[in-house]
Amino acid sequence: MDRSTTIGLASGFGLIILGILTEGSILAFWSFSSLLIVVGGVLASTLVNFPMDDVFRTADAVRVAFEGRKFDLLARIEMFTMFARRARRNGLLVLDQDIQFIDDRFLKQGMELAIDGTSEDNLKHILEAEIKNLQRRHETGIRVLERMSAYSPAFGMIGTLIGLIIMLGNLDDPSAVGPGMAVALITTFYGSILANLVFTPLAGKLAEYSEKETNEKEMAKQGIISLANGENPRIMERKMLSFVTPKERAEYFRVYGDKAFTAQQEEKVYDHWLSQQKEKWESVISTIPNG
Amino acid sequence: MDRSTTIGLASGFGLIILGILTEGSILAFWSFSSLLIVVGGVLASTLVNFPMDDVFRTADAVRVAFEGRKFDLLARIEMFTMFARRARRNGLLVLDQDIQFIDDRFLKQGMELAIDGTSEDNLKHILEAEIKNLQRRHETGIRVLERMSAYSPAFGMIGTLIGLIIMLGNLDDPSAVGPGMAVALITTFYGSILANLVFTPLAGKLAEYSEKETNEKEMAKQGIISLANGENPRIMERKMLSFVTPKERAEYFRVYGDKAFTAQQEEKVYDHWLSQQKEKWESVISTIPNG
Amino acid sequence: MDRSTTIGLASGFGLIILGILTEGSILAFWSFSSLLIVVGGVLASTLVNFPMDDVFRTADAVRVAFEGRKFDLLARIEMFTMFARRARRNGLLVLDQDIQFIDDRFLKQGMELAIDGTSEDNLKHILEAEIKNLQRRHETGIRVLERMSAYSPAFGMIGTLIGLIIMLGNLDDPSAVGPGMAVALITTFYGSILANLVFTPLAGKLAEYSEKETNEKEMAKQGIISLANGENPRIMERKMLSFVTPKERAEYFRVYGDKAFTAQQEEKVYDHWLSQQKEKWESVISTIPNG
Amino acid sequence: MDRSTTIGLASGFGLIILGILTEGSILAFWSFSSLLIVVGGVLASTLVNFPMDDVFRTADAVRVAFEGRKFDLLARIEMFTMFARRARRNGLLVLDQDIQFIDDRFLKQGMELAIDGTSEDNLKHILEAEIKNLQRRHETGIRVLERMSAYSPAFGMIGTLIGLIIMLGNLDDPSAVGPGMAVALITTFYGSILANLVFTPLAGKLAEYSEKETNEKEMAKQGIISLANGENPRIMERKMLSFVTPKERAEYFRVYGDKAFTAQQEEKVYDHWLSQQKEKWESVISTIPNG
Amino acid sequence: MDRSTTIGLASGFGLIILGILTEGSILAFWSFSSLLIVVGGVLASTLVNFPMDDVFRTADAVRVAFEGRKFDLLARIEMFTMFARRARRNGLLVLDQDIQFIDDRFLKQGMELAIDGTSEDNLKHILEAEIKNLQRRHETGIRVLERMSAYSPAFGMIGTLIGLIIMLGNLDDPSAVGPGMAVALITTFYGSILANLVFTPLAGKLAEYSEKETNEKEMAKQGIISLANGENPRIMERKMLSFVTPKERAEYFRVYGDKAFTAQQEEKVYDHWLSQQKEKWESVISTIPNG
């Protein structure tokens, strides 16, 4: 759950309504035709701007902004060092069963390639292409929201122009100028709010998560390649730790410490981890509706 | 067919007209001289800004925004793995007849180079130069539309300035200010709509298709080079699959499955594919008018 | 001749004048002091912004926007394949006399380096440095015009502010507000036109030609390096063809076809080409005034 | 201490208040509901735009803008040359005790890796990943402030629109237009000040310090790699000096001169340096509260 | 001397004053409190935005915009070819005395490194780091001016808002609206002029000189590396010539021609050059005040 999105939207709209109520009536700010022009216009331009599929996929992506994503980089580093220690003792193939409960597709498929003995060049090539592809998909969603953010004030202004032209064209009664102007400005008001409280911040949130996910995938890529190369577990751990903040690094050493396990202890750790993964896996599976 | 372009334009203009009708008369928004200044001015600046050829070619490119493009990446991957399996069994030269019915020029010519035994360096060099050249052509079209999008509000403002200067210079009758102002604002209105409902979204749509086509060509490049290198078909398949989304990847495995054909089955698959290609080819040919 | 520049400027100014005449008098749009502030201010800021030489050189560069440039890439590819076939038969040195009538400096000097046996590394290094240098020169000119384009509306606004401050400060007669305002807006009008019909489009045109010329030079670089390496003429031809559009490529094969000349035929083609070059050269020379 | 931040903010707000007082009353510029809309709206959009953690971390980062950071590049170069001379005489391992009092984490951990005999490739890889990670963290903070800077005038305008719509809708008394307008403009005023005196400059300051710290880390990376490679101390010194300004370089040679120490003198210099480091270390430790 | 800066500023301010005088009184444009808000506000935000040192250093950098810089690339190429011919005959060490009178620090120190036998990798590494460092310093200055240019219209608007809010809040006398408005607009006027005639153009001028100096340093780097590698003088000359314009290249061949000196002639040329350098050096020294 990323509560900040919900809190931000709720408090933002709340504040604006509060600001209106302290000075006047909220009714003066309601105009169906203004809403039609702004929201409709933005959607129309977005449809011209993007293939239909990309627009629909963005609706999906926006959910991420509300649900949030957690990346437990430290647990992942610990998992990789465990893998590396096991692979050192028993060969890379032993990991074949370990990875069956990993629920991150990128990680699982990358590990499978490594275990299958894919050459380092090919492994790197494939993992990098996947990360690039992931970014491209993210960027399309961000671009859709950014364009909607740009179209919002534009259609706000177009609506205001419509209001002004009609009002000014029928200027029989000078006292009607004020209210006419007020109505005309409502579309500008709608456009500004949509752009600055909804579309731009949502595009920003998706961009932040995209960056965090890319960082996580880059770290996983590093781990997979180190594993495939049979690199020293400590060097691998150190390389992966350069993807986390100094604070997290200190936390990592505090929690996972410096381990020098016997083979037996290692087995125990592994059994514990495996049972955890299975539980997690089953809880994921159970959320999938039958049918 | 990319219906979103037509739907977007129709609904956008429809909404604006609806918005106008609910509050006033559509006649108040018609001004031939405003249209002349905005559309004429935009075209004039575009002609100064681009060589004549590039302007004409853009008119062509805009058609793509309406017709849309479909890229069946999965079928292409399947085709390449079939090629790879055939080449493994019978040598690369056997593909010489397979490619005669391919209607994608880039793919066909790239395959010819590979079959002719062009060195990997030269092959890469040529395919990359072609992709870069393709992008350059796309970008010229996008640039033309983006500039038109920037000139539209500018000439909208110039038209409004003309109207204001004339009106303010002859200010005998104060009651004429309103209607004069209304007329002056029409060019700004035209400029805003052209920019935000037509030129910017169209430029955006072309950019989206350009990105998709580049991705498709990059994938084809990967396939051609893998084929030329006699790479393992499964590695080639995996590399190409990193160009599609995870959803499409799952779809690919569902449809095309994991094949382990006998040479005989392979032949059957090939015969089926070839007859399909021929049909497609003939249907393409038949659309070309005689003479 | 790039007629689009002249046509664009003429029709743009024509349309604006027409637009003015249909609604009022052209005299209301003439103000010498406005012209002084806008044009003078833009020139002043441009002088502060750029070394004197760069400003003068831009005046020169603008000529290109009117004269246009034609790049016959196909003829150049044909020339290079002829060179390559000749070099294959008679050695690279035989080209020494062929290149004396080439009137493109970059090409001629690059060929001389190749014929002199410059190493591939040095050849690449020098040709790339020259292309980069060419781009830097182009970009300076484009930057000058783009800055002028940014200063134009700024000084338009400064002029309008001057008019407004004077008018509002002496507001004895309310009926003078309108005409005063009209006069004040003229500088904004001038600034907008200069920016959107003159400077931005001219900067754009120079950028387009710069891109086309860079593409041409990149193709020539490719040809020179292929020649120096004694590359197979058909591979060289193919590499160079990836710099032209598919349409031009089809045209190339239609016109120049697939040649398999005997040494004798080759000689004839060469003699024909050489006499053409000489004629061209002499016509270039004849345009240089005596003295 | 970076006093310029405090001085700038104090004098900026002072000047604006002074400017107001010379012409009117400061009370006319106070509006609680305006403050609510601008500050509240900016915070709301920022929460939608960024994960909660990143927003809190920015509050921390802003402290740097007030406290400033000093990077004594010259002392660091001197330290590295001392290390290099010692390592030349006694081997790299002798540095193990030297580095225990270094209070820069990046430097200390990098030196540990070098002393542990990490391969050059891995060392480079890790140090570069850490620098990139550092930049990413900095950039998140800068991005938060830049977005706040963009939302400020936007919510300023939204507040003004609210004021205008209410005022124009109730236009019974024409004499109320002026004061109503004045109140409406206060939110625009708040938004402009927040953007131009607070958020944009603070984002700028953080960006400047980020750049300086990156430069310092790049220099340290250079030093660590040179040490690990056992590079000639003078070459290392020269390479590190290319990260400082010519003026600092002259200063360096003036202060630290050209040293040709005997082993004995070297020891003395080292002992002096070590005692200094210990003192510094203890003073750092003493600032940490007990508990 | 770069006169264009002085001429531009003088004529720009002259034109604006002239424009004012032809229509009204210059006194209407003077307001101390406006100046205070704009200039003071810009300085305050700049202090928040940059470390104090960088602000002071920019004042220094601005001097370059007035004094200008001349880069005699041709003389430098000639010097390098002389060096190369001498080094060919007498070894690189002979240049040790030649370089003592060179007054360009980058060049002198680079030559010293080359003569000391620094490896090509290290030489390249150091020279590139220095050029990057030079650019970073330039960019800081340019950034300070660009930010000042952005803050100027912002504080212009803030000042105008202050004026408007005060005026509209005390709207007893409708006839005071005009003059009040006029006064309020003066800060906008100041902000526009500062941005468009002073800060933006000065930032631009520094950027132009930075680009020219970088080009000169890149050429010197090329020369130093060629010398260190003992490259053929003609190849070195050719490589360096790709940094100058075709016109300068023609000029170079006209002035310095194709030289094939005997060892004796070479000595004479060298003696002449050395005496020139000494003179130049002494004249530089003599400008340094005693004490």
Side-chain angles (χ1 to χ4, degrees):
Chain A
M1 265 310 284
D2 180 337
R3 295 205 201 163
S4 63
T5 307
T6 321
I7 294 176
L9 283 172
S11 63
F13 277 105
L15 274 167
I16 287 167
I17 291 170
L18 199 78
I20 289 172
L21 290 180
T22 59
E23 296 185 43
S25 152
I26 194 87
L27 281 176
F29 289 82
W30 171 252
S31 158
F32 180 70
S33 66
S34 295
L35 202 67
L36 202 75
I37 286 176
V38 176
V39 175
V42 168
L43 287 178
S45 283
T46 306
L47 280 175
V48 181
N49 199 141
F50 294 93
M52 197 89 75
D53 284 5
D54 290 338
V55 180
F56 289 136
R57 225 173 283 149
T58 302
D60 239 50
V62 167
R63 243 190 25 226
V64 170
F66 288 91
E67 291 176 0
R69 311 199 64 161
K70 278 275 164 246
F71 302 104
D72 191 345
L73 301 181
L74 301 188
R76 190 146 286 179
I77 296 173
E78 172 60 6
M79 185 186 79
F80 267 102
T81 52
M82 190 189 71
F83 282 171
R85 286 193 308 264
R86 274 173 64 78
R88 279 239 150 172
R89 288 202 178 121
N90 314 303
L92 203 56
L93 282 172
V94 82
L95 299 177
D96 208 16
Q97 50 161 320
D98 300 27
I99 61 173
Q100 57 185 321
F101 301 114
I102 293 177
D103 57 356
D104 180 273
R105 203 163 15 201
F106 176 84
L107 191 50
K108 193 177 187 175
Q109 297 184 352
M111 288 296 295
E112 282 170 1
L113 287 169
I115 292 167
D116 287 355
T118 314
S119 77
E120 190 186 341
D121 266 7
N122 281 336
L123 195 54
K124 224 176 193 165
H125 189 100
I126 291 171
L127 295 179
E128 277 165 12
E130 301 235 339
I131 292 176
K132 207 183 135 199
N133 196 286
L134 180 81
Q135 286 181 309
R136 278 184 55 233
R137 284 200 306 278
H138 288 172
E139 278 161 17
T140 305
I142 294 166
R143 217 154 49 219
V144 170
L145 287 168
E146 281 176 348
R147 281 288 167 107
M148 291 178 94
S149 171
Y151 291 136
S152 296
F155 279 95
M157 198 185 91
I158 287 173
T160 296
L161 283 171
I162 292 176
L164 284 180
I165 292 172
I166 289 173
M167 182 199 73
L168 291 170
N170 306 302
L171 211 66
D172 303 327
D173 176 11
S175 76
V177 171
M181 193 94 174
V183 169
L185 285 177
I186 291 176
T187 42
T188 294
F189 175 70
Y190 286 178
S192 293
I193 287 176
L194 275 182
N196 291 294
L197 189 54
V198 182
F199 295 131
T200 305
L202 283 180
K205 181 76 86 99
L206 292 188
E208 296 299 322
Y209 279 125
S210 173
E211 213 230 344
K212 282 183 208 301
E213 187 168 351
T214 304
N215 187 49
E216 187 223 19
K217 295 290 179 258
E218 290 283 353
M219 194 187 80
K221 186 191 98 185
Q222 178 62 63
I224 294 167
I225 288 170
S226 288
L227 265 182
N229 287 349
E231 209 165 50
N232 183 311
R234 291 184 67 102
I235 289 290
M236 187 196 76
E237 188 183 46
R238 190 66 190 73
K239 280 187 179 173
M240 293 183 82
L241 280 170
S242 57
F243 286 89
V244 306
T245 65
K247 213 185 252 180
E248 288 172 314
R249 217 175 298 160
E251 169 80 2
Y252 178 83
F253 285 119
R254 204 181 52 71
V255 173
Y256 300 102
D258 257 332
K259 281 160 203 146
F261 289 125
T262 62
Q264 221 177 352
Q265 288 173 313
E266 190 76 46
E267 279 307 312
K268 266 193 187 160
V269 170
Y270 168 67
D271 289 340
H272 179 64
W273 174 81
L274 201 62
S275 68
Q276 276 187 325
Q277 293 298 315
K278 274 187 194 161
E279 260 173 60
K280 215 163 107 191
W281 184 254
E282 274 150 24
S283 85
V284 169
I285 296 290
S286 68
T287 62
I288 301 174
N290 289 329
Chain B
M1 264 311 282
D2 179 337
R3 295 205 202 162
S4 63
T5 307
T6 321
I7 294 175
L9 283 172
S11 63
F13 278 105
L15 275 166
I16 287 167
I17 290 170
L18 199 76
I20 290 171
L21 289 180
T22 58
E23 296 186 41
S25 152
I26 194 89
L27 281 176
F29 289 82
W30 172 252
S31 158
F32 181 70
S33 65
S34 295
L35 202 68
L36 201 76
I37 286 176
V38 176
V39 175
V42 169
L43 287 178
S45 283
T46 306
L47 280 175
V48 181
N49 199 141
F50 294 93
M52 198 87 79
D53 284 5
D54 290 338
V55 180
F56 288 135
R57 226 173 283 148
T58 302
D60 238 51
V62 167
R63 243 190 26 226
V64 170
F66 287 92
E67 290 176 0
R69 311 198 65 161
K70 278 275 165 246
F71 302 104
D72 191 346
L73 300 181
L74 300 187
R76 190 147 285 180
I77 296 173
E78 171 60 6
M79 184 186 81
F80 266 102
T81 51
M82 190 188 72
F83 282 172
R85 287 193 307 265
R86 274 173 64 78
R88 279 240 149 171
R89 290 203 174 117
N90 314 304
L92 202 56
L93 282 172
V94 81
L95 300 177
D96 209 17
Q97 50 161 319
D98 299 28
I99 62 172
Q100 57 184 321
F101 300 114
I102 293 177
D103 58 355
D104 179 273
R105 202 164 16 200
F106 175 83
L107 191 52
K108 194 176 187 177
Q109 297 184 352
M111 288 296 295
E112 283 170 0
L113 287 169
I115 293 167
D116 287 354
T118 314
S119 77
E120 190 187 342
D121 266 7
N122 281 337
L123 195 54
K124 225 175 192 164
H125 189 100
I126 291 171
L127 295 179
E128 277 165 11
E130 301 235 338
I131 292 176
K132 207 182 135 200
N133 195 286
L134 180 82
Q135 285 180 309
R136 279 185 55 234
R137 285 200 305 280
H138 288 173
E139 278 160 18
T140 304
I142 295 166
R143 218 155 46 220
V144 170
L145 287 168
E146 281 176 348
R147 282 287 167 108
M148 292 178 94
S149 170
Y151 291 136
S152 296
F155 279 95
M157 198 186 91
I158 287 173
T160 297
L161 282 171
I162 292 177
L164 284 180
I165 292 172
I166 289 173
M167 181 198 73
L168 292 169
N170 307 302
L171 212 65
D172 304 327
D173 176 11
S175 76
V177 171
M181 195 90 176
V183 170
L185 285 176
I186 291 176
T187 42
T188 294
F189 175 71
Y190 287 178
S192 293
I193 288 176
L194 275 182
N196 290 294
L197 189 55
V198 182
F199 295 131
T200 305
L202 284 179
K205 181 75 88 93
L206 292 188
E208 296 299 321
Y209 279 125
S210 174
E211 212 230 345
K212 282 182 207 301
E213 188 168 351
T214 304
N215 186 50
E216 187 223 20
K217 296 291 180 256
E218 291 283 353
M219 194 187 81
K221 186 191 97 185
Q222 178 62 63
I224 294 166
I225 289 170
S226 288
L227 264 182
N229 286 348
E231 208 165 51
N232 183 310
R234 290 184 69 102
I235 290 289
M236 186 194 78
E237 188 183 46
R238 190 65 191 73
K239 281 188 179 172
M240 294 183 81
L241 280 170
S242 58
F243 286 90
V244 306
T245 65
K247 213 184 253 180
E248 287 171 315
R249 216 174 299 159
E251 168 81 2
Y252 179 82
F253 285 119
R254 204 181 54 71
V255 173
Y256 299 103
D258 258 333
K259 280 158 203 148
F261 289 124
T262 61
Q264 222 177 350
Q265 287 172 314
E266 191 75 49
E267 279 307 312
K268 265 192 185 160
V269 170
Y270 168 67
D271 288 342
H272 178 63
W273 175 81
L274 201 62
S275 68
Q276 275 187 324
Q277 293 297 316
K278 273 187 192 161
E279 261 174 59
K280 214 163 106 190
W281 183 254
E282 273 150 24
S283 85
V284 168
I285 296 290
S286 68
T287 63
I288 302 173
N290 291 328
Chain C
M1 265 310 283
D2 178 337
R3 295 207 201 163
S4 63
T5 308
T6 321
I7 294 174
L9 283 172
S11 62
F13 278 106
L15 274 167
I16 287 167
I17 291 171
L18 199 76
I20 290 172
L21 289 180
T22 58
E23 296 186 41
S25 152
I26 195 87
L27 281 176
F29 289 82
W30 171 251
S31 158
F32 180 70
S33 65
S34 296
L35 202 67
L36 202 75
I37 286 177
V38 176
V39 175
V42 169
L43 287 179
S45 284
T46 305
L47 280 175
V48 181
N49 199 141
F50 293 93
M52 198 88 78
D53 284 5
D54 290 339
V55 179
F56 288 136
R57 225 172 284 148
T58 303
D60 239 51
V62 167
R63 243 189 26 225
V64 170
F66 288 91
E67 291 175 0
R69 310 198 65 161
K70 278 276 164 245
F71 303 104
D72 190 346
L73 300 180
L74 301 187
R76 190 146 285 180
I77 297 172
E78 171 60 6
M79 185 186 81
F80 266 100
T81 51
M82 190 188 72
F83 281 172
R85 287 193 307 266
R86 273 174 63 80
R88 280 239 146 171
R89 289 205 174 115
N90 315 304
L92 203 55
L93 281 173
V94 80
L95 300 178
D96 209 18
Q97 51 161 319
D98 299 28
I99 63 172
Q100 58 184 319
F101 300 114
I102 294 176
D103 58 356
D104 179 273
R105 201 162 17 197
F106 175 84
L107 191 51
K108 194 177 186 177
Q109 296 183 353
M111 288 296 294
E112 282 170 1
L113 286 169
I115 293 167
D116 287 355
T118 314
S119 77
E120 189 187 342
D121 267 6
N122 281 336
L123 194 54
K124 225 174 190 165
H125 189 99
I126 291 172
L127 296 179
E128 276 165 13
E130 302 235 337
I131 292 176
K132 206 183 135 200
N133 195 287
L134 181 81
Q135 285 181 311
R136 279 186 53 234
R137 285 201 305 280
H138 288 172
E139 278 161 18
T140 305
I142 295 165
R143 218 156 45 222
V144 171
L145 287 167
E146 280 175 349
R147 282 285 166 111
M148 293 178 93
S149 170
Y151 291 135
S152 297
F155 279 96
M157 198 186 90
I158 287 173
T160 296
L161 282 171
I162 292 177
L164 284 180
I165 291 172
I166 289 174
M167 182 198 73
L168 292 169
N170 306 301
L171 211 66
D172 303 326
D173 176 12
S175 76
V177 171
M181 193 90 175
V183 170
L185 285 176
I186 291 175
T187 42
T188 294
F189 175 71
Y190 286 178
S192 294
I193 287 176
L194 274 182
N196 291 294
L197 189 55
V198 182
F199 295 131
T200 305
L202 283 179
K205 181 75 90 92
L206 291 188
E208 295 300 321
Y209 279 124
S210 173
E211 212 230 346
K212 282 182 207 301
E213 187 167 352
T214 304
N215 187 49
E216 187 223 19
K217 295 292 180 255
E218 290 283 353
M219 194 186 81
K221 185 191 98 185
Q222 178 61 65
I224 294 166
I225 288 170
S226 288
L227 265 183
N229 286 349
E231 207 165 54
N232 182 310
R234 289 183 69 103
I235 290 290
M236 186 195 78
E237 187 182 47
R238 191 62 189 73
K239 282 187 178 173
M240 294 184 81
L241 280 170
S242 58
F243 286 89
V244 306
T245 65
K247 212 185 251 181
E248 287 171 315
R249 215 174 301 159
E251 168 81 3
Y252 178 82
F253 285 119
R254 205 182 52 72
V255 174
Y256 300 102
D258 259 332
K259 280 159 201 147
F261 288 126
T262 61
Q264 219 176 353
Q265 287 171 315
E266 191 76 48
E267 278 307 311
K268 263 191 185 161
V269 169
Y270 168 69
D271 289 341
H272 178 64
W273 175 81
L274 200 62
S275 67
Q276 275 187 325
Q277 293 298 316
K278 274 189 193 161
E279 259 174 61
K280 215 163 107 191
W281 184 254
E282 272 150 25
S283 84
V284 169
I285 296 289
S286 68
T287 63
I288 301 173
N290 290 329
Chain D
M1 265 308 284
D2 180 337
R3 295 204 202 164
S4 62
T5 308
T6 322
I7 294 176
L9 283 171
S11 62
F13 277 105
L15 274 167
I16 288 167
I17 291 170
L18 199 78
I20 290 172
L21 289 179
T22 58
E23 295 185 42
S25 151
I26 194 89
L27 281 176
F29 289 82
W30 172 251
S31 158
F32 180 71
S33 65
S34 295
L35 202 67
L36 202 75
I37 286 176
V38 176
V39 174
V42 168
L43 287 178
S45 283
T46 305
L47 280 174
V48 181
N49 199 141
F50 294 93
M52 198 90 75
D53 284 5
D54 290 339
V55 179
F56 289 136
R57 223 172 285 149
T58 303
D60 239 51
V62 167
R63 244 190 23 228
V64 169
F66 288 91
E67 290 176 1
R69 310 199 64 162
K70 277 276 163 248
F71 302 103
D72 191 346
L73 301 181
L74 301 188
R76 190 144 285 181
I77 296 172
E78 171 59 8
M79 186 186 79
F80 266 101
T81 52
M82 190 189 70
F83 281 171
R85 286 193 308 264
R86 273 174 64 78
R88 279 239 148 173
R89 288 201 179 120
N90 314 306
L92 202 55
L93 282 172
V94 82
L95 299 179
D96 209 16
Q97 50 160 320
D98 300 28
I99 61 173
Q100 58 184 320
F101 300 115
I102 292 177
D103 58 357
D104 179 273
R105 202 164 16 200
F106 175 86
L107 191 51
K108 194 177 186 177
Q109 296 184 353
M111 288 296 295
E112 281 169 2
L113 286 169
I115 293 167
D116 287 354
T118 315
S119 78
E120 189 185 343
D121 266 7
N122 281 336
L123 195 54
K124 225 175 192 165
H125 189 99
I126 291 172
L127 296 179
E128 275 165 12
E130 301 236 338
I131 292 177
K132 207 183 135 199
N133 195 286
L134 181 82
Q135 286 181 309
R136 278 184 55 235
R137 284 200 306 280
H138 288 173
E139 277 159 18
T140 305
I142 295 166
R143 217 155 47 219
V144 171
L145 288 168
E146 281 175 349
R147 281 285 167 109
M148 292 178 93
S149 170
Y151 292 135
S152 296
F155 279 96
M157 198 185 91
I158 288 173
T160 296
L161 283 170
I162 292 176
L164 284 180
I165 291 172
I166 289 173
M167 181 199 74
L168 292 169
N170 305 302
L171 212 67
D172 303 327
D173 177 12
S175 76
V177 171
M181 194 93 175
V183 171
L185 285 177
I186 291 176
T187 41
T188 294
F189 176 69
Y190 286 177
S192 293
I193 287 175
L194 274 182
N196 290 295
L197 189 54
V198 182
F199 295 131
T200 305
L202 283 179
K205 181 77 82 98
L206 291 188
E208 296 298 322
Y209 279 125
S210 173
E211 212 230 345
K212 282 183 209 300
E213 188 168 348
T214 304
N215 187 48
E216 187 223 19
K217 295 292 178 257
E218 290 283 354
M219 194 186 82
K221 186 190 97 184
Q222 178 62 64
I224 293 167
I225 288 170
S226 288
L227 264 181
N229 287 348
E231 208 166 51
N232 183 310
R234 292 183 67 102
I235 290 290
M236 187 195 76
E237 187 183 48
R238 191 64 190 73
K239 281 186 179 173
M240 293 184 81
L241 281 169
S242 58
F243 286 90
V244 306
T245 64
K247 213 185 252 179
E248 288 172 314
R249 216 174 300 160
E251 168 79 3
Y252 178 82
F253 284 119
R254 203 181 55 69
V255 173
Y256 299 102
D258 257 333
K259 281 158 202 149
F261 289 126
T262 62
Q264 219 177 354
Q265 288 172 312
E266 190 75 47
E267 278 307 312
K268 265 194 186 158
V269 170
Y270 169 68
D271 289 340
H272 179 65
W273 175 81
L274 202 61
S275 67
Q276 275 186 326
Q277 294 297 316
K278 275 188 195 161
E279 259 173 61
K280 214 162 106 191
W281 184 255
E282 274 150 22
S283 84
V284 169
I285 296 289
S286 67
T287 63
I288 301 174
N290 289 330
Chain E
M1 267 308 285
D2 180 337
R3 295 206 200 163
S4 63
T5 308
T6 321
I7 294 175
L9 283 172
S11 62
F13 278 104
L15 274 166
I16 287 167
I17 291 170
L18 199 77
I20 290 172
L21 289 180
T22 58
E23 295 185 42
S25 152
I26 194 88
L27 281 175
F29 289 83
W30 171 250
S31 157
F32 180 70
S33 65
S34 295
L35 201 67
L36 202 74
I37 286 176
V38 176
V39 175
V42 168
L43 286 178
S45 283
T46 305
L47 280 174
V48 181
N49 199 142
F50 294 93
M52 198 89 77
D53 284 5
D54 290 340
V55 180
F56 288 136
R57 223 172 286 148
T58 303
D60 238 51
V62 166
R63 244 190 24 227
V64 169
F66 288 91
E67 290 176 359
R69 310 198 64 161
K70 277 278 163 245
F71 303 104
D72 190 346
L73 300 181
L74 301 188
R76 190 146 284 180
I77 297 173
E78 171 60 6
M79 185 187 80
F80 266 100
T81 52
M82 190 188 72
F83 282 171
R85 286 193 307 264
R86 273 174 64 78
R88 280 238 147 174
R89 289 200 177 120
N90 315 305
L92 202 55
L93 283 172
V94 81
L95 300 178
D96 208 18
Q97 51 160 320
D98 300 27
I99 62 172
Q100 58 183 320
F101 299 114
I102 293 177
D103 57 357
D104 178 273
R105 200 162 19 198
F106 175 85
L107 192 50
K108 193 177 186 177
Q109 297 184 352
M111 288 296 295
E112 281 169 3
L113 286 169
I115 293 167
D116 287 355
T118 314
S119 77
E120 189 186 343
D121 266 6
N122 282 336
L123 195 54
K124 224 174 192 166
H125 189 99
I126 291 171
L127 296 179
E128 275 165 13
E130 301 236 338
I131 292 176
K132 207 184 134 198
N133 196 287
L134 180 82
Q135 285 180 310
R136 278 186 54 234
R137 285 201 305 279
H138 287 173
E139 278 160 18
T140 305
I142 294 165
R143 218 155 47 220
V144 171
L145 288 167
E146 280 175 349
R147 282 285 166 109
M148 293 179 93
S149 169
Y151 291 135
S152 297
F155 279 96
M157 198 185 89
I158 287 173
T160 296
L161 282 171
I162 292 177
L164 284 180
I165 291 172
I166 289 173
M167 181 199 74
L168 292 169
N170 307 301
L171 211 66
D172 304 326
D173 177 12
S175 77
V177 172
M181 194 89 178
V183 170
L185 285 176
I186 290 176
T187 41
T188 294
F189 175 71
Y190 286 178
S192 294
I193 287 176
L194 275 181
N196 291 295
L197 189 54
V198 182
F199 295 131
T200 305
L202 283 180
K205 181 76 81 99
L206 291 188
E208 296 298 322
Y209 279 124
S210 173
E211 212 230 346
K212 282 183 207 301
E213 188 169 350
T214 304
N215 187 49
E216 188 223 19
K217 295 292 180 257
E218 290 284 353
M219 194 186 81
K221 186 190 97 183
Q222 178 61 64
I224 293 166
I225 288 170
S226 289
L227 264 182
N229 286 349
E231 208 165 52
N232 183 311
R234 290 184 68 101
I235 290 290
M236 187 195 76
E237 186 182 49
R238 191 63 191 73
K239 282 186 179 174
M240 294 183 81
L241 280 170
S242 58
F243 286 89
V244 305
T245 64
K247 212 185 252 180
E248 287 171 315
R249 214 174 301 160
E251 168 80 3
Y252 178 82
F253 285 119
R254 205 182 52 72
V255 174
Y256 300 101
D258 259 333
K259 281 159 203 148
F261 288 126
T262 62
Q264 221 177 352
Q265 287 171 314
E266 191 76 47
E267 278 308 312
K268 265 193 185 160
V269 170
Y270 168 68
D271 289 340
H272 179 63
W273 175 81
L274 201 62
S275 66
Q276 274 186 327
Q277 293 297 317
K278 274 188 193 160
E279 260 174 59
K280 215 163 105 191
W281 185 253
E282 274 150 22
S283 85
V284 169
I285 295 290
S286 67
T287 63
I288 302 174
N290 289 330

